[in-house]
């Protein structure tokens, strides 16, 4: 009986610009069910970080509880990690981010972890516009506890047990929009062409970037009657447009038909190129985005792709004017300015 | 691309790189697993069935399987397939009860085999169990051909050769040793049902026109004749200073033999650059290990003699020059080099020679004065005469001679039964799922990280002191096990069932070497270009599924697949399965 990932990799799979191979971005071998959408999302995260030439030790991955929240073990094994408490990923990430703004924060959560027990925390981390990637692996159920309907299960959708959900579902993208997220996107674990550029854009986005990734639970919620199963999702996807991530300084080699594409410049010089589809709308308009989600939903479909993008919202640090340096780098001299300053302060209060 | 037709045995056979490259198509991974399991007799018999001389080949095979081995594309070194074969041969117990039964009642057909090398012996091995009567002719006093006269005992102990030759002769082959066949006409007059010519390429090339050749004749030897004369104990010593001309395997055997017969300053002198030497890299390594220097780019000009005795040789130095088409020529530099010597061994090539086949008896000869032999049937224009081994198309190696022998035996059997020799019997193939349960396969899917084991050698001084002492010790059981575990089990195929796939990408994500792609179908060249990792090795096929629900196809580049089974392990629907593909080449007697 063996279940060990071999150490060999494709000999022609080269290292990235900072000399790391894809192996440096992998984690432990997954213990999730074979075919779980979450594993594909892990693979997309690995690919994104590898291609963006990120240093794994400058990333922190934080999660709550659930099959989805287990995945940080299976990617970026060399990064920092905190597998926290059910629904508490946002507050742990907030604390870490406040203490050290130099790391890249990837928060991984599930639909249960976010839309049920963690709903309060979710609302506030969006509202504060914490600089992080918030990724929900959304399978419409509580996978880890054997598939109970979650708050994102659509009304009428039925999992393995066969009982249709009686409640209306929560659309996390709409919620994020409403609460003021700077970047909102939706994707599907089975579409890495779309997911990888979205993750890259989210990583590059300064401030809160939210991606709701529909990620089928093959074991409990992959029935023909489930709106989160592979088949149904594939048949009902409607993208806002196709998306390419063009890293800083690189030439655009793809030929985009004139008039049909739009470039979105990101703050670090990289670019998102969006191939508009027939129903193009202003991506920086919250109202337009809301409308689009609603009208696609009315037609019985799921809107995917980049839904909303606005880089001009300052993040939490900017709002509360915190120190630029990580707290662990502050010395006594920085923290204790001395009696002369205290005198001055006191004098001002007299 | 069209979906891959995995029903065609050729497809999966090609994935088993070693077996496919082996001229006799030995099921390599099958016997390697048996070695790992300590089942040496079983491993030996799988070999014996395919390549007839496992003990001999486990020491001397030219091993075309090893450059082909997938492991060599994944890391530095291929599996030591050849030396694993030796592990099976060295550790087996008595296998005589597993040899095929020979019918006491014969089938009435009589065959003559001329030459007792591996080609003829293989024909005998395949036909004796079918009831044929066989007469074997050879001018040597024992069977084995060049395996006996040429391959030195320090590489192949006589006892190993005797054992495997005798398995065949003991089947009741009637031997006519020490008989040089001088006339095919006379042979045909004996009314054999078929005659097989396995006389090898017995003539060594000479340099008849080089100045001094006649004068120095007493100390100028044709390499293969000299090696035979050493093997048959006619020659016991050589001069202190020996020049060996040539850069092939024969040169390596000559120089290593020379230092064992008293040569103190033995040099190999080659016309070409060393990098172009024809000898196998490991044979060059073995000679260098025995401190034999090689002089490259030296073109022989003259033999020097004094009073009718050889004293040295003159060489002209050359350098390789490449023209616009990359064709190499060796251009003299003008520099001359003289080397003193007592003996010269010429190992500069072998020729076929058929003075004994009359040209008017119906066997057609071609422009190179070689008999016309059919590449598939090994039949000549005289339907009852067959040719194989080195005699057919010039010098090759033992395993090729064996492969020829198998095919010739099939033809002879078909011919004697009055059937068409062109109708070749199909190989026996078998494809069986290896799944036992959760995370549990019938084969060991774990991929070892070990580097190739190094074959232990005996002490160098001791080796050089005795030409009969085998230099290599062979792997011990533990090394054999570790080496066996390096095999990737390429015969355990990844079999994909389009209809079961739900396109969850789990296999694509888990595959450690990025073989698997879900992609829009296209022409082969475009697909190769568009895979996750470009499929640049065009010798390796792409495995293409039928059309999936999303209209895409699954495309797997077979090139560096580790056969680790993770794709099947991670597939939720069983669309992937690991199935063992066992192919046995057809042998004589199998009905087509
Ligand atoms: C020095 C040397 C080293 C080699 N080392 C290796 C090695 O390590 N590994 C390897 O795979 N191969 C090696 N080879 C090649 C290998 O020996 C041959 O390719 C192989 O033996 C060919 O087999 P065969 O059956 O065609 O004929 P052979 O083995 O050549 O046998 C032919 C036999 O026919 C006899 N014969 C020829 N004409 C007549 C006649 N008219 N009447 C009667 N008998 C006749 C010959 O004396 C000989 O015994 C080596 C060759 C040489 C020269
Ligand atoms: C405080 C607390 N309440 C309840 C649980 C039980 N529990 C574990 S995972 C889970 C739901 C996880 O669902 P989701 O976040 O969607 O993850 P999935 O497994 O579906 O990926 C629950 C309710 C818990 N671990 N802790
Ligand atoms: S239970 Fe569902 S969500 Fe959890 S690992 Fe299995 S398939 Fe994935
Ligand atoms: S790894 Fe094993 S099965 Fe594969 S080519 Fe090498 S020896 Fe043959
Ligand atoms: S067996 Fe499957 S997972 Fe393993 S290397 Fe081959 S294709 Fe990849
Ligand atoms: Mg869930």
């Amino acid at each position: 009986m063996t279940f060990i990932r071999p150490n060999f990799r494709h000999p022609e799979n080269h290292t990235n610009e900072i000399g790391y191979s894809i192996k440096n971005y992998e984690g432990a071998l997954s213990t999730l069910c074979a075919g779980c959408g979450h594993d594909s999302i892990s693979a997309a995260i690995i690919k994104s970080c590898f291609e963006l030439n990120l240093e794994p030790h400058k990333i922190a991955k934080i999660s709550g509880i659930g099959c989805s929240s287990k995945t940080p073990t299976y990617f970026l094994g060399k990064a920092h990690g905190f597998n926290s408490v059910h629904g508490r990923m946002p507050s742990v990430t907030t604390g870490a981010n406040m203490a050290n703004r130099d790391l890249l924060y990837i928060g991984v959560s599930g639909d249960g972890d976010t839309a049920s027990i963690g709903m309060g925390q979710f609302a506030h981390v969006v509202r504060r516009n914490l600089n992080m990637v918030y990724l929900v692996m959304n399978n419409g159920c509580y996978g880890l506890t054997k598939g109970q309907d979650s708050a994102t299960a659509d009304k009428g959708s039925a999992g393995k047990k066969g009982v249709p959900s009686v409640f209306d579902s929560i659309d996390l993208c709409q919620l994020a929009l409403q609460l003021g997220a700077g970047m909102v996107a939706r994707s599907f674990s089975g579409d890495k062409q779309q997911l990888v550029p979205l993750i890259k854009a989210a990583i590059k986005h300064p401030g809160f970037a939210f991606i709701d990734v529909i990620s089928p639970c093959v074991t409990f919620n992959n029935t023909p009657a489930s709106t989160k199963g592979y088949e149904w999702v594939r048949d009902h996807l409607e993208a806002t447009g196709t998306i390419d991530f063009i890293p800083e300084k690189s030439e655009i080699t793809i030929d985009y038909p004139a008039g049909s594409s739009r470039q979105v410049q990101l703050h670090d010089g990289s670019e998102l190129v969006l191939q508009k589809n027939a129903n193009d709308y202003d991506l920086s308009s919250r109202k337009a985005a809301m409308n689009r989600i609603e009208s696609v939903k009315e037609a019985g479909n799921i809107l995917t792709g980049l839904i909303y993008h606005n880089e001009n919202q300052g993040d939490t640090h900017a709002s509360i004017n915190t120190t630029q340096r990580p707290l662990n780098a502050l010395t006594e001299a920085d923290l204790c300015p001395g009696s002369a300053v205290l005198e001055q302060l006191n004098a001002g209060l007299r | 691309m069209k979906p891959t037709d995995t029903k065609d045995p050729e497809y999966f056979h090609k994935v088993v790189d070693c077996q496919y490259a082996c001229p006799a198509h030995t099921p390599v991974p099958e016997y390697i697993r048996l070695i790992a399991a300590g089942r040496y007799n079983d491993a030996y018999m799988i070999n014996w069935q395919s390549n007839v001389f496992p003990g001999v080949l486990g020491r001397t095979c030219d091993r075309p399987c090893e450059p082909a081995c997938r492991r060599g594309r994944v890391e530095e070194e291929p599996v030591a397939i050849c030396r694993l074969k030796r592990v099976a041969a060295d550790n087996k117990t008595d296998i005589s009860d597993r040899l095929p039964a020979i019918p006491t009642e014969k089938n009435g057909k009589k065959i003559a085999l001329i030459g007792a090398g591996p080609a003829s012996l293989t024909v005998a091995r395949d036909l004796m169990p079918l009831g044929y009567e066989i007469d074997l002719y050879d001018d040597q006093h024992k069977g084995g051909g060049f395996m006996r006269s040429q391959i030195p005992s320090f590489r192949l102990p006589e006892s190993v050769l005797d054992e495997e030759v005798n398995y065949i002769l003991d089947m009741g082959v009637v031997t006519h040793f020490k008989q040089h066949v001088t006339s095919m006409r006379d042979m045909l007059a004996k009314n054999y049902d078929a005659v097989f010519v396995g006389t090898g390429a017995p003539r060594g090339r000479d340099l008849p026109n080089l100045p001094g050749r006649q004068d120095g004749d007493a100390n100028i030897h044709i390499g293969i004749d000299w090696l035979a004369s050493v093997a048959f104990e006619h020659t016991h010593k050589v001069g202190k200073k020996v020049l060996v001309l040539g850069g092939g395997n024969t040169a390596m055997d000559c120089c290593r033999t020379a230092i064992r017969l008293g040569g103190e300053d033995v040099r190999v002198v080659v016309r070409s650059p060393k990098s172009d030497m024809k000898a196998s890299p490991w044979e060059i390594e073995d000679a260098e290990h025995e401190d034999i220097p090689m002089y490259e780019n030296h073109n022989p000009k003259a033999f020097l003699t004094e009073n009718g005795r050889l004293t040295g040789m003159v060489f002209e130095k050359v350098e390789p020059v490449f023209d616009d088409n990359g064709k190499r020529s060796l251009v003299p530099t003008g520099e001359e080099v003289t080397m003193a010597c007592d003996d010269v061994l010429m190992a500069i090539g072998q020729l076929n020679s058929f003075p004994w086949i009359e040209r008017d008896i119906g066997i057609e000869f071609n422009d190179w004065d070689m008999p016309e032999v059919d590449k598939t049937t090994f039949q000549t224009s005289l339907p009852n005469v067959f040719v194989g081994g080195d005699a057919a198309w010039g010098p090759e190696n033992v395993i090729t001679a064996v492969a020829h022998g198998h095919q010739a035996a099939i033809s002879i059997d078909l011919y004697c039964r009055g059937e068409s020799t062109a109708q070749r019997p199909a190989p026996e193939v078998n494809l069986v799922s290896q799944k036992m349960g959760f995370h549990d396969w019938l084969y060991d899917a774990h991929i070892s990280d070990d580097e190739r084991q190094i074959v232990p050698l005996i002490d160098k001084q001791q080796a050089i002191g005795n030409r009969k002492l085998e230099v290599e010790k062979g792997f011990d059981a533990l090394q054999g096990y570790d080496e066996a575990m390096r095999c990737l089990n390429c015969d355990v195929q990844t079999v994909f069932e389009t209809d079961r796939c739900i396109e969850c990408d789990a296999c694509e994500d888990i595959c450690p070497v990025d073989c698997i792609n879900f992609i829009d179908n296209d022409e082969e060249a475009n697909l190769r270009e568009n895979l996750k990792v470009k499929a640049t090795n065009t010798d390796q096929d792409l495995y293409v599924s039928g059309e999936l629900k999303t209209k895409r196809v699954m495309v797997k580049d077979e090139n560096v697949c580790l056969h680790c089974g993770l794709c099947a392990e991670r597939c939720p629907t069983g669309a992937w399965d690991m199935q063992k593909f066992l192919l046995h080449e057809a042998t004589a007697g199998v009905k087509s």
Side-chain angles (χ1 to χ4, degrees), chain B residues 229-512:
Chain B
S229 133
V230 173
F232 297 135
E233 316 258 0
H234 304 310
T235 296
H236 298 281
K237 56 180 196 308
V238 73
K240 286 196 166 43
K241 289 188 177 143
V242 181
L243 298 180
V244 177
L245 307 185
N249 288 339
T250 304
M252 298 304 112
D253 282 338
C254 284
C255 68
R256 295 179 72 197
T257 302
I259 59 167
R260 286 162 168 78
L261 295 195
E264 285 171 7
D265 176 2
V266 177
R267 305 174 176 194
V268 173
V269 190
V270 211
R271 274 183 67 216
S272 64
K274 205 178 143 202
S275 53
D276 292 355
M277 275 170 61
K278 281 219 191 92
S280 315
W282 52 87
E283 300 233 351
I284 298 176
E285 216 173 89
D286 290 343
E288 287 184 327
H289 173 73
E290 293 175 354
D291 307 313
I292 298 167
M294 317 218 170
Y295 293 80
E296 58 177 356
N297 297 324
H298 281 62
N299 192 23
K301 286 300 275 188
F303 296 99
L304 299 177
T305 54
E306 259 170 46
N307 308 325
R309 213 189 137 73
L310 183 73
T311 58
M313 273 193 83
V314 181
F315 300 92
E316 160 184 76
K317 283 202 79 176
V318 293
E319 61 183 0
V321 174
F322 294 88
D323 70 11
D324 292 345
N325 300 324
K327 205 174 160 307
R328 190 202 71 184
S329 47
L330 296 171
V331 179
T333 63
E335 188 187 341
E336 281 198 347
V337 177
T338 303
M339 293 188 193
C341 67
D342 303 314
D343 282 289
V344 169
L345 304 175
M346 286 186 290
I348 52 176
Q350 277 163 259
L351 300 166
N352 293 82
S353 132
F354 298 103
W356 55 279
I357 301 185
E358 295 80 356
R359 304 297 139 107
D360 60 351
I361 52 176
I363 300 176
E364 264 176 45
F365 276 68
N366 61 24
D367 295 346
W368 300 274
D369 209 26
M370 293 280 284
E372 256 331 321
V373 183
D374 185 279
K375 292 264 181 210
T376 328
T377 63
F378 296 84
Q379 207 164 12
T380 65
S381 53
L382 198 61
N384 59 338
V385 175
F386 300 80
V387 184
D390 286 358
W393 298 286
E396 287 280 351
N397 48 40
V398 174
I399 189 67
T400 304
V402 168
H404 289 181
H406 284 312
Q407 293 305 318
I410 289 173
S411 298
I412 292 169
D413 181 48
L414 289 171
Y415 174 77
C416 289
R417 294 204 319 247
E419 287 172 31
S420 158
T421 53
Q423 208 63 48
R424 312 305 290 178
E428 177 196 323
V429 285
N430 203 348
L431 192 64
V432 182
S433 174
Q434 299 296 288
K435 192 154 183 73
M436 294 255 283
F438 194 55
H439 297 342
D440 206 3
W441 301 99
L442 273 167
Y443 75 111
D444 194 337
H446 172 62
I447 309 289
S448 153
D449 290 336
D450 281 3
E451 286 175 12
R452 184 181 167 113
Q453 303 288 317
I454 293 167
V455 180
L457 306 178
I458 61 166
D459 171 71
K460 188 156 55 173
Q461 285 321 312
Q462 200 189 352
I464 292 170
N466 179 353
R467 86 168 166 88
K468 292 193 177 174
L469 215 53
E470 188 173 19
V471 173
E472 289 190 7
K473 289 208 271 200
F475 294 141
D476 62 26
L478 186 63
Q479 273 183 308
Y481 174 80
D482 286 342
E483 188 60 30
M485 293 313 286
R486 292 181 71 238
C487 171
L488 299 172
N489 302 291
C490 302
D491 58 341
V492 181
Q493 306 283 347
T494 57
V495 182
F496 185 77
E497 224 176 285
T498 305
D499 295 343
R500 288 185 160 211
C501 176
I502 57 167
E503 299 177 69
C504 69
D505 293 356
C507 54
E508 185 181 20
D509 293 336
I510 197 73
C511 176

